[in-house]
Amino acid sequence: MSEPFELELTVNGTPRTVRVAPLRRLLDVLREDLALTGTKEGCGEGECGACSVFVDGELVNSCLVAACQVEGCDVRTVEAPDLGNVQAAFLEEGGAQCGICTPGMVLAVQAFVDEWAARGREPDDVELRAALAGNLCRCTGYEKILASARTALRRARP
Amino acid sequence: MSAPRVTVPRSLDEALAALAGAAPETLLLAGGTDLMVEFESGRTAPRDVVSLWRLDELRGVRDEGGGLRMGALTTCADLLGSDLARARADVLVDAAAEVGAVQIQNRATVGGNLGTASPAADLNPVLLALGATVRLRSASGSRDLPVEEFLTGYRATARRPDELIESIAIPARPAGERRRFRKVGTRRAQSISKVVVALAATLADGRFTAVRAAAGSVAPTAVLLPSLAAELVGQPPDEARLDAAARRAARDDAAPIDDVRSTAAYRRLVLQRVLRTELGALAAGA
């Protein structure tokens, strides 16, 4: 297919169908075709993580994913209704400055929380920083972002 | 530029049928971490693309003769989560942990590293050092090639237009083989390599009996470093010998360039020093 095709996928729990070119970036499908502008474009080269979303539960850079690769997939963005605990942690800790990296950070922190909530020990600083290494903050507000991640993890634990 | 024709096969058989009459410049899309950047920048404007990402037949790792066979679409995250991969190919898992960050590790594949044949693809030097082979599959059959024969130059491979990479095999670890991996980038995580080094060697009775080493980002593609074996096999790992081997390999086996990430002179110097350090650690049994 070189022509646009009917892409069916689930976004934040809602089935959606959009007519798009097969190599259109998932980032553009979300922002332009579905008007979900929470997901941000930073570098557009897979370096900065601002466009991070979940595809079938895996954190990916949506600027590097083609529309033809997400047929039938379950996509979650910062607009997903179940990210409230992580978002509240960012609000409380002052984890956002200009806000461009924040949606991607929220999703990366959610992935970090999902991975660590069930473990019997605290991640050390290196493990926490490694979990967020794919997300750049040009305001350099990292300390408060790390504090947000720790707060979110603490709240997620049973 | 007209929009590329994109084929999305649903099975391996469909993919092989699609490739049977493929134009020579047809691009195979795996996880997209390299090609999607190429497409967006316009540096690569393909007429035909076949997206392989949904072919689950190309996923998974399994034992093969005491070694490891990996489907081409095995991701870095898959390697990091596999006890078998860790047991059979520890340095490959170490390398996978240094490919980008989690977002990239979830999409970057072993087959994609080989297929794009970027000089900076971090897994390729490890595959070379471990003596890996690439299984190419077409509608008319399959063939196995050593990685050093598969990688033919800058973003160039021996894959025919009708073939895809089906899987990659790492042979069983030779008794007593010691292995090292080291990546030098701009920062600890999420950087494109300046120099990558992978070593596999055995010693017996105080002498090297086998040495296989490779490097990335120091030549048009990942390369073996034959000078190391030439200098070291049959020799004891004394300081002067290791110095000489590292110096000769950096001088004779590498062909680095100046680019936005580094200079040729810096890369050659770092290659020599990293090789020397890693040889020392390997000889010490670390």
Side-chain angles (χ1 to χ4, degrees), chain B residues 245-277:
Chain B
R247 202 162 45 240
R248 183 173 152 194
R251 187 190 65 211
D252 295 349
D253 297 341
I257 57 166
D258 294 323
D259 71 5
V260 65
R261 277 185 286 281
S262 210
T263 64
Y266 179 81
R267 285 191 165 105
R268 206 184 285 278
L269 180 64
V270 170
L271 174 63
Q272 178 186 331
R273 291 190 175 166
V274 170
L275 280 175
R276 177 63 186 85
T277 303

PDB file of all heavy atoms in Angstrom, chain B residues 245-277:
ATOM      1  N   ALA B 245      50.023  -5.062  20.800  1.00  0.00           N
ATOM      2  CA  ALA B 245      48.848  -5.565  20.092  1.00  0.00           C
ATOM      3  C   ALA B 245      47.799  -4.473  19.937  1.00  0.00           C
ATOM      4  O   ALA B 245      47.227  -4.287  18.851  1.00  0.00           O
ATOM      5  CB  ALA B 245      48.267  -6.772  20.839  1.00  0.00           C
ATOM      6  N   ALA B 246      47.542  -3.737  21.027  1.00  0.00           N
ATOM      7  CA  ALA B 246      46.537  -2.670  20.978  1.00  0.00           C
ATOM      8  C   ALA B 246      46.963  -1.587  19.986  1.00  0.00           C
ATOM      9  O   ALA B 246      46.150  -1.076  19.214  1.00  0.00           O
ATOM     10  CB  ALA B 246      46.330  -2.075  22.370  1.00  0.00           C
ATOM     11  N   ARG B 247      48.259  -1.263  20.001  1.00  0.00           N
ATOM     12  CA  ARG B 247      48.764  -0.214  19.112  1.00  0.00           C
ATOM     13  C   ARG B 247      48.613  -0.640  17.657  1.00  0.00           C
ATOM     14  O   ARG B 247      48.160   0.119  16.810  1.00  0.00           O
ATOM     15  CB  ARG B 247      50.231   0.078  19.466  1.00  0.00           C
ATOM     16  CG  ARG B 247      50.717   1.442  19.021  1.00  0.00           C
ATOM     17  CD  ARG B 247      51.985   1.873  19.755  1.00  0.00           C
ATOM     18  NE  ARG B 247      52.984   0.801  19.843  1.00  0.00           N
ATOM     19  CZ  ARG B 247      53.440   0.307  20.990  1.00  0.00           C
ATOM     20  NH1 ARG B 247      53.017   0.774  22.151  1.00  0.00           N
ATOM     21  NH2 ARG B 247      54.346  -0.658  20.985  1.00  0.00           N
ATOM     22  N   ARG B 248      48.995  -1.884  17.380  1.00  0.00           N
ATOM     23  CA  ARG B 248      48.948  -2.341  15.985  1.00  0.00           C
ATOM     24  C   ARG B 248      47.510  -2.441  15.472  1.00  0.00           C
ATOM     25  O   ARG B 248      47.223  -2.056  14.336  1.00  0.00           O
ATOM     26  CB  ARG B 248      49.636  -3.706  15.870  1.00  0.00           C
ATOM     27  CG  ARG B 248      49.690  -4.193  14.446  1.00  0.00           C
ATOM     28  CD  ARG B 248      50.526  -5.451  14.309  1.00  0.00           C
ATOM     29  NE  ARG B 248      50.064  -6.238  13.177  1.00  0.00           N
ATOM     30  CZ  ARG B 248      50.400  -7.488  12.944  1.00  0.00           C
ATOM     31  NH1 ARG B 248      51.229  -8.118  13.773  1.00  0.00           N
ATOM     32  NH2 ARG B 248      49.940  -8.139  11.899  1.00  0.00           N
ATOM     33  N   ALA B 249      46.604  -2.937  16.312  1.00  0.00           N
ATOM     34  CA  ALA B 249      45.212  -3.055  15.864  1.00  0.00           C
ATOM     35  C   ALA B 249      44.615  -1.682  15.587  1.00  0.00           C
ATOM     36  O   ALA B 249      43.911  -1.486  14.587  1.00  0.00           O
ATOM     37  CB  ALA B 249      44.383  -3.797  16.911  1.00  0.00           C
ATOM     38  N   ALA B 250      44.902  -0.710  16.471  1.00  0.00           N
ATOM     39  CA  ALA B 250      44.359   0.639  16.265  1.00  0.00           C
ATOM     40  C   ALA B 250      44.940   1.280  15.014  1.00  0.00           C
ATOM     41  O   ALA B 250      44.277   2.061  14.328  1.00  0.00           O
ATOM     42  CB  ALA B 250      44.650   1.504  17.492  1.00  0.00           C
ATOM     43  N   ARG B 251      46.195   0.926  14.687  1.00  0.00           N
ATOM     44  CA  ARG B 251      46.846   1.505  13.510  1.00  0.00           C
ATOM     45  C   ARG B 251      46.400   0.810  12.221  1.00  0.00           C
ATOM     46  O   ARG B 251      46.070   1.472  11.234  1.00  0.00           O
ATOM     47  CB  ARG B 251      48.367   1.377  13.660  1.00  0.00           C
ATOM     48  CG  ARG B 251      49.182   2.099  12.587  1.00  0.00           C
ATOM     49  CD  ARG B 251      50.655   1.719  12.675  1.00  0.00           C
ATOM     50  NE  ARG B 251      50.865   0.301  12.383  1.00  0.00           N
ATOM     51  CZ  ARG B 251      51.842  -0.451  12.910  1.00  0.00           C
ATOM     52  NH1 ARG B 251      52.683   0.075  13.772  1.00  0.00           N
ATOM     53  NH2 ARG B 251      51.958  -1.723  12.579  1.00  0.00           N
ATOM     54  N   ASP B 252      46.365  -0.540  12.247  1.00  0.00           N
ATOM     55  CA  ASP B 252      46.187  -1.293  11.002  1.00  0.00           C
ATOM     56  C   ASP B 252      44.758  -1.740  10.715  1.00  0.00           C
ATOM     57  O   ASP B 252      44.400  -1.951   9.556  1.00  0.00           O
ATOM     58  CB  ASP B 252      47.071  -2.548  11.026  1.00  0.00           C
ATOM     59  CG  ASP B 252      48.546  -2.197  11.041  1.00  0.00           C
ATOM     60  OD1 ASP B 252      48.879  -1.014  10.829  1.00  0.00           O
ATOM     61  OD2 ASP B 252      49.360  -3.108  11.276  1.00  0.00           O
ATOM     62  N   ASP B 253      43.962  -1.943  11.749  1.00  0.00           N
ATOM     63  CA  ASP B 253      42.647  -2.556  11.534  1.00  0.00           C
ATOM     64  C   ASP B 253      41.510  -1.547  11.509  1.00  0.00           C
ATOM     65  O   ASP B 253      40.386  -1.893  11.159  1.00  0.00           O
ATOM     66  CB  ASP B 253      42.351  -3.589  12.631  1.00  0.00           C
ATOM     67  CG  ASP B 253      43.355  -4.738  12.609  1.00  0.00           C
ATOM     68  OD1 ASP B 253      44.016  -4.919  11.570  1.00  0.00           O
ATOM     69  OD2 ASP B 253      43.476  -5.441  13.628  1.00  0.00           O
ATOM     70  N   ALA B 254      41.783  -0.315  11.902  1.00  0.00           N
ATOM     71  CA  ALA B 254      40.735   0.701  11.969  1.00  0.00           C
ATOM     72  C   ALA B 254      40.918   1.723  10.855  1.00  0.00           C
ATOM     73  O   ALA B 254      42.030   1.961  10.397  1.00  0.00           O
ATOM     74  CB  ALA B 254      40.765   1.396  13.324  1.00  0.00           C
ATOM     75  N   ALA B 255      39.802   2.311  10.422  1.00  0.00           N
ATOM     76  CA  ALA B 255      39.840   3.382   9.417  1.00  0.00           C
ATOM     77  C   ALA B 255      38.816   4.446   9.812  1.00  0.00           C
ATOM     78  O   ALA B 255      37.817   4.657   9.139  1.00  0.00           O
ATOM     79  CB  ALA B 255      39.528   2.813   8.034  1.00  0.00           C
ATOM     80  N   PRO B 256      39.056   5.091  10.964  1.00  0.00           N
ATOM     81  CA  PRO B 256      38.043   6.031  11.473  1.00  0.00           C
ATOM     82  C   PRO B 256      37.977   7.309  10.631  1.00  0.00           C
ATOM     83  O   PRO B 256      38.888   7.610   9.864  1.00  0.00           O
ATOM     84  CB  PRO B 256      38.533   6.342  12.892  1.00  0.00           C
ATOM     85  CG  PRO B 256      40.007   6.085  12.858  1.00  0.00           C
ATOM     86  CD  PRO B 256      40.229   5.003  11.854  1.00  0.00           C
ATOM     87  N   ILE B 257      36.882   8.034  10.814  1.00  0.00           N
ATOM     88  CA  ILE B 257      36.695   9.308  10.108  1.00  0.00           C
ATOM     89  C   ILE B 257      36.432  10.423  11.115  1.00  0.00           C
ATOM     90  O   ILE B 257      36.094  10.179  12.268  1.00  0.00           O
ATOM     91  CB  ILE B 257      35.498   9.248   9.132  1.00  0.00           C
ATOM     92  CG1 ILE B 257      34.206   8.874   9.874  1.00  0.00           C
ATOM     93  CG2 ILE B 257      35.781   8.272   7.996  1.00  0.00           C
ATOM     94  CD1 ILE B 257      32.942   9.123   9.082  1.00  0.00           C
ATOM     95  N   ASP B 258      36.603  11.669  10.627  1.00  0.00           N
ATOM     96  CA  ASP B 258      36.138  12.836  11.375  1.00  0.00           C
ATOM     97  C   ASP B 258      34.645  12.987  11.104  1.00  0.00           C
ATOM     98  O   ASP B 258      34.216  12.938   9.953  1.00  0.00           O
ATOM     99  CB  ASP B 258      36.823  14.117  10.855  1.00  0.00           C
ATOM    100  CG  ASP B 258      38.321  14.122  11.119  1.00  0.00           C
ATOM    101  OD1 ASP B 258      38.749  13.630  12.175  1.00  0.00           O
ATOM    102  OD2 ASP B 258      39.059  14.627  10.247  1.00  0.00           O
ATOM    103  N   ASP B 259      33.858  13.153  12.139  1.00  0.00           N
ATOM    104  CA  ASP B 259      32.464  13.511  11.910  1.00  0.00           C
ATOM    105  C   ASP B 259      31.959  14.308  13.097  1.00  0.00           C
ATOM    106  O   ASP B 259      32.738  14.721  13.962  1.00  0.00           O
ATOM    107  CB  ASP B 259      31.588  12.281  11.608  1.00  0.00           C
ATOM    108  CG  ASP B 259      31.354  11.395  12.823  1.00  0.00           C
ATOM    109  OD1 ASP B 259      31.792  11.764  13.941  1.00  0.00           O
ATOM    110  OD2 ASP B 259      30.733  10.338  12.657  1.00  0.00           O
ATOM    111  N   VAL B 260      30.628  14.513  13.136  1.00  0.00           N
ATOM    112  CA  VAL B 260      30.049  15.390  14.150  1.00  0.00           C
ATOM    113  C   VAL B 260      30.277  14.851  15.558  1.00  0.00           C
ATOM    114  O   VAL B 260      30.314  15.609  16.526  1.00  0.00           O
ATOM    115  CB  VAL B 260      28.543  15.598  13.857  1.00  0.00           C
ATOM    116  CG1 VAL B 260      27.782  14.284  13.986  1.00  0.00           C
ATOM    117  CG2 VAL B 260      27.942  16.643  14.759  1.00  0.00           C
ATOM    118  N   ARG B 261      30.475  13.527  15.698  1.00  0.00           N
ATOM    119  CA  ARG B 261      30.606  12.966  17.032  1.00  0.00           C
ATOM    120  C   ARG B 261      32.043  12.888  17.532  1.00  0.00           C
ATOM    121  O   ARG B 261      32.268  12.749  18.722  1.00  0.00           O
ATOM    122  CB  ARG B 261      29.971  11.567  17.089  1.00  0.00           C
ATOM    123  CG  ARG B 261      28.473  11.619  17.317  1.00  0.00           C
ATOM    124  CD  ARG B 261      27.887  10.248  17.483  1.00  0.00           C
ATOM    125  NE  ARG B 261      27.818   9.518  16.240  1.00  0.00           N
ATOM    126  CZ  ARG B 261      26.889   9.694  15.309  1.00  0.00           C
ATOM    127  NH1 ARG B 261      25.951  10.593  15.483  1.00  0.00           N
ATOM    128  NH2 ARG B 261      26.894   8.999  14.214  1.00  0.00           N
ATOM    129  N   SER B 262      33.007  12.927  16.624  1.00  0.00           N
ATOM    130  CA  SER B 262      34.381  12.765  17.071  1.00  0.00           C
ATOM    131  C   SER B 262      35.335  13.004  15.899  1.00  0.00           C
ATOM    132  O   SER B 262      34.902  13.168  14.765  1.00  0.00           O
ATOM    133  CB  SER B 262      34.581  11.342  17.611  1.00  0.00           C
ATOM    134  OG  SER B 262      35.559  11.337  18.605  1.00  0.00           O
ATOM    135  N   THR B 263      36.646  12.963  16.216  1.00  0.00           N
ATOM    136  CA  THR B 263      37.630  13.046  15.138  1.00  0.00           C
ATOM    137  C   THR B 263      38.265  11.679  14.937  1.00  0.00           C
ATOM    138  O   THR B 263      38.252  10.836  15.834  1.00  0.00           O
ATOM    139  CB  THR B 263      38.754  14.049  15.476  1.00  0.00           C
ATOM    140  OG1 THR B 263      39.456  13.553  16.623  1.00  0.00           O
ATOM    141  CG2 THR B 263      38.202  15.431  15.764  1.00  0.00           C
ATOM    142  N   ALA B 264      38.823  11.492  13.754  1.00  0.00           N
ATOM    143  CA  ALA B 264      39.474  10.219  13.451  1.00  0.00           C
ATOM    144  C   ALA B 264      40.625   9.954  14.429  1.00  0.00           C
ATOM    145  O   ALA B 264      40.789   8.847  14.937  1.00  0.00           O
ATOM    146  CB  ALA B 264      39.982  10.223  12.014  1.00  0.00           C
ATOM    147  N   ALA B 265      41.409  10.996  14.703  1.00  0.00           N
ATOM    148  CA  ALA B 265      42.570  10.823  15.579  1.00  0.00           C
ATOM    149  C   ALA B 265      42.132  10.421  16.987  1.00  0.00           C
ATOM    150  O   ALA B 265      42.739   9.544  17.622  1.00  0.00           O
ATOM    151  CB  ALA B 265      43.389  12.119  15.629  1.00  0.00           C
ATOM    152  N   TYR B 266      41.075  11.060  17.470  1.00  0.00           N
ATOM    153  CA  TYR B 266      40.567  10.729  18.802  1.00  0.00           C
ATOM    154  C   TYR B 266      40.074   9.291  18.834  1.00  0.00           C
ATOM    155  O   TYR B 266      40.361   8.529  19.758  1.00  0.00           O
ATOM    156  CB  TYR B 266      39.447  11.695  19.184  1.00  0.00           C
ATOM    157  CG  TYR B 266      38.845  11.396  20.539  1.00  0.00           C
ATOM    158  CD1 TYR B 266      39.461  11.828  21.710  1.00  0.00           C
ATOM    159  CD2 TYR B 266      37.659  10.673  20.657  1.00  0.00           C
ATOM    160  CE1 TYR B 266      38.924  11.541  22.949  1.00  0.00           C
ATOM    161  CE2 TYR B 266      37.109  10.389  21.889  1.00  0.00           C
ATOM    162  CZ  TYR B 266      37.746  10.828  23.036  1.00  0.00           C
ATOM    163  OH  TYR B 266      37.204  10.535  24.264  1.00  0.00           O
ATOM    164  N   ARG B 267      39.325   8.903  17.807  1.00  0.00           N
ATOM    165  CA  ARG B 267      38.781   7.543  17.792  1.00  0.00           C
ATOM    166  C   ARG B 267      39.904   6.503  17.790  1.00  0.00           C
ATOM    167  O   ARG B 267      39.825   5.474  18.465  1.00  0.00           O
ATOM    168  CB  ARG B 267      37.912   7.338  16.554  1.00  0.00           C
ATOM    169  CG  ARG B 267      36.561   8.022  16.632  1.00  0.00           C
ATOM    170  CD  ARG B 267      35.665   7.550  15.502  1.00  0.00           C
ATOM    171  NE  ARG B 267      34.278   7.897  15.752  1.00  0.00           N
ATOM    172  CZ  ARG B 267      33.627   8.883  15.134  1.00  0.00           C
ATOM    173  NH1 ARG B 267      34.231   9.617  14.224  1.00  0.00           N
ATOM    174  NH2 ARG B 267      32.368   9.130  15.421  1.00  0.00           N
ATOM    175  N   ARG B 268      40.968   6.780  17.024  1.00  0.00           N
ATOM    176  CA  ARG B 268      42.065   5.809  16.947  1.00  0.00           C
ATOM    177  C   ARG B 268      42.780   5.696  18.295  1.00  0.00           C
ATOM    178  O   ARG B 268      43.108   4.602  18.754  1.00  0.00           O
ATOM    179  CB  ARG B 268      43.048   6.216  15.835  1.00  0.00           C
ATOM    180  CG  ARG B 268      43.827   5.047  15.257  1.00  0.00           C
ATOM    181  CD  ARG B 268      44.847   5.492  14.231  1.00  0.00           C
ATOM    182  NE  ARG B 268      44.318   5.875  12.938  1.00  0.00           N
ATOM    183  CZ  ARG B 268      43.991   5.017  11.963  1.00  0.00           C
ATOM    184  NH1 ARG B 268      44.134   3.732  12.155  1.00  0.00           N
ATOM    185  NH2 ARG B 268      43.536   5.448  10.813  1.00  0.00           N
ATOM    186  N   LEU B 269      42.976   6.845  18.936  1.00  0.00           N
ATOM    187  CA  LEU B 269      43.638   6.849  20.243  1.00  0.00           C
ATOM    188  C   LEU B 269      42.780   6.125  21.289  1.00  0.00           C
ATOM    189  O   LEU B 269      43.278   5.306  22.076  1.00  0.00           O
ATOM    190  CB  LEU B 269      43.906   8.297  20.677  1.00  0.00           C
ATOM    191  CG  LEU B 269      44.600   8.468  22.030  1.00  0.00           C
ATOM    192  CD1 LEU B 269      46.003   7.857  21.987  1.00  0.00           C
ATOM    193  CD2 LEU B 269      44.676   9.935  22.413  1.00  0.00           C
ATOM    194  N   VAL B 270      41.485   6.431  21.275  1.00  0.00           N
ATOM    195  CA  VAL B 270      40.594   5.782  22.250  1.00  0.00           C
ATOM    196  C   VAL B 270      40.515   4.284  21.985  1.00  0.00           C
ATOM    197  O   VAL B 270      40.534   3.478  22.918  1.00  0.00           O
ATOM    198  CB  VAL B 270      39.196   6.431  22.223  1.00  0.00           C
ATOM    199  CG1 VAL B 270      38.202   5.618  23.051  1.00  0.00           C
ATOM    200  CG2 VAL B 270      39.270   7.853  22.732  1.00  0.00           C
ATOM    201  N   LEU B 271      40.473   3.925  20.706  1.00  0.00           N
ATOM    202  CA  LEU B 271      40.438   2.495  20.374  1.00  0.00           C
ATOM    203  C   LEU B 271      41.652   1.790  20.971  1.00  0.00           C
ATOM    204  O   LEU B 271      41.534   0.737  21.607  1.00  0.00           O
ATOM    205  CB  LEU B 271      40.397   2.297  18.854  1.00  0.00           C
ATOM    206  CG  LEU B 271      40.493   0.840  18.396  1.00  0.00           C
ATOM    207  CD1 LEU B 271      39.301   0.022  18.890  1.00  0.00           C
ATOM    208  CD2 LEU B 271      40.585   0.763  16.872  1.00  0.00           C
ATOM    209  N   GLN B 272      42.831   2.381  20.765  1.00  0.00           N
ATOM    210  CA  GLN B 272      44.058   1.767  21.284  1.00  0.00           C
ATOM    211  C   GLN B 272      43.993   1.623  22.809  1.00  0.00           C
ATOM    212  O   GLN B 272      44.298   0.560  23.362  1.00  0.00           O
ATOM    213  CB  GLN B 272      45.263   2.625  20.890  1.00  0.00           C
ATOM    214  CG  GLN B 272      46.585   2.079  21.423  1.00  0.00           C
ATOM    215  CD  GLN B 272      47.748   3.019  21.146  1.00  0.00           C
ATOM    216  OE1 GLN B 272      47.722   3.760  20.160  1.00  0.00           O
ATOM    217  NE2 GLN B 272      48.745   2.999  22.007  1.00  0.00           N
ATOM    218  N   ARG B 273      43.556   2.679  23.476  1.00  0.00           N
ATOM    219  CA  ARG B 273      43.565   2.652  24.940  1.00  0.00           C
ATOM    220  C   ARG B 273      42.502   1.716  25.500  1.00  0.00           C
ATOM    221  O   ARG B 273      42.737   1.022  26.489  1.00  0.00           O
ATOM    222  CB  ARG B 273      43.376   4.075  25.482  1.00  0.00           C
ATOM    223  CG  ARG B 273      44.613   4.911  25.192  1.00  0.00           C
ATOM    224  CD  ARG B 273      44.583   6.227  25.889  1.00  0.00           C
ATOM    225  NE  ARG B 273      45.847   6.932  25.660  1.00  0.00           N
ATOM    226  CZ  ARG B 273      46.017   8.215  25.914  1.00  0.00           C
ATOM    227  NH1 ARG B 273      45.036   8.928  26.419  1.00  0.00           N
ATOM    228  NH2 ARG B 273      47.177   8.781  25.684  1.00  0.00           N
ATOM    229  N   VAL B 274      41.328   1.725  24.855  1.00  0.00           N
ATOM    230  CA  VAL B 274      40.268   0.833  25.338  1.00  0.00           C
ATOM    231  C   VAL B 274      40.675  -0.626  25.098  1.00  0.00           C
ATOM    232  O   VAL B 274      40.484  -1.493  25.958  1.00  0.00           O
ATOM    233  CB  VAL B 274      38.920   1.171  24.671  1.00  0.00           C
ATOM    234  CG1 VAL B 274      37.875   0.100  24.977  1.00  0.00           C
ATOM    235  CG2 VAL B 274      38.423   2.527  25.157  1.00  0.00           C
ATOM    236  N   LEU B 275      41.262  -0.891  23.944  1.00  0.00           N
ATOM    237  CA  LEU B 275      41.726  -2.253  23.681  1.00  0.00           C
ATOM    238  C   LEU B 275      42.750  -2.687  24.728  1.00  0.00           C
ATOM    239  O   LEU B 275      42.686  -3.799  25.262  1.00  0.00           O
ATOM    240  CB  LEU B 275      42.366  -2.344  22.285  1.00  0.00           C
ATOM    241  CG  LEU B 275      41.432  -2.470  21.094  1.00  0.00           C
ATOM    242  CD1 LEU B 275      42.239  -2.421  19.798  1.00  0.00           C
ATOM    243  CD2 LEU B 275      40.614  -3.764  21.166  1.00  0.00           C
ATOM    244  N   ARG B 276      43.685  -1.785  25.029  1.00  0.00           N
ATOM    245  CA  ARG B 276      44.735  -2.113  26.003  1.00  0.00           C
ATOM    246  C   ARG B 276      44.134  -2.382  27.379  1.00  0.00           C
ATOM    247  O   ARG B 276      44.492  -3.350  28.051  1.00  0.00           O
ATOM    248  CB  ARG B 276      45.745  -0.970  26.060  1.00  0.00           C
ATOM    249  CG  ARG B 276      46.850  -1.161  27.078  1.00  0.00           C
ATOM    250  CD  ARG B 276      47.703  -2.384  26.748  1.00  0.00           C
ATOM    251  NE  ARG B 276      48.676  -2.652  27.800  1.00  0.00           N
ATOM    252  CZ  ARG B 276      48.422  -3.354  28.899  1.00  0.00           C
ATOM    253  NH1 ARG B 276      47.220  -3.870  29.104  1.00  0.00           N
ATOM    254  NH2 ARG B 276      49.369  -3.545  29.805  1.00  0.00           N
ATOM    255  N   THR B 277      43.213  -1.513  27.780  1.00  0.00           N
ATOM    256  CA  THR B 277      42.573  -1.682  29.093  1.00  0.00           C
ATOM    257  C   THR B 277      41.799  -2.996  29.154  1.00  0.00           C
ATOM    258  O   THR B 277      41.899  -3.754  30.132  1.00  0.00           O
ATOM    259  CB  THR B 277      41.604  -0.515  29.355  1.00  0.00           C
ATOM    260  OG1 THR B 277      42.335   0.701  29.273  1.00  0.00           O
ATOM    261  CG2 THR B 277      40.953  -0.637  30.725  1.00  0.00           C
TER     262      THR B 277
END
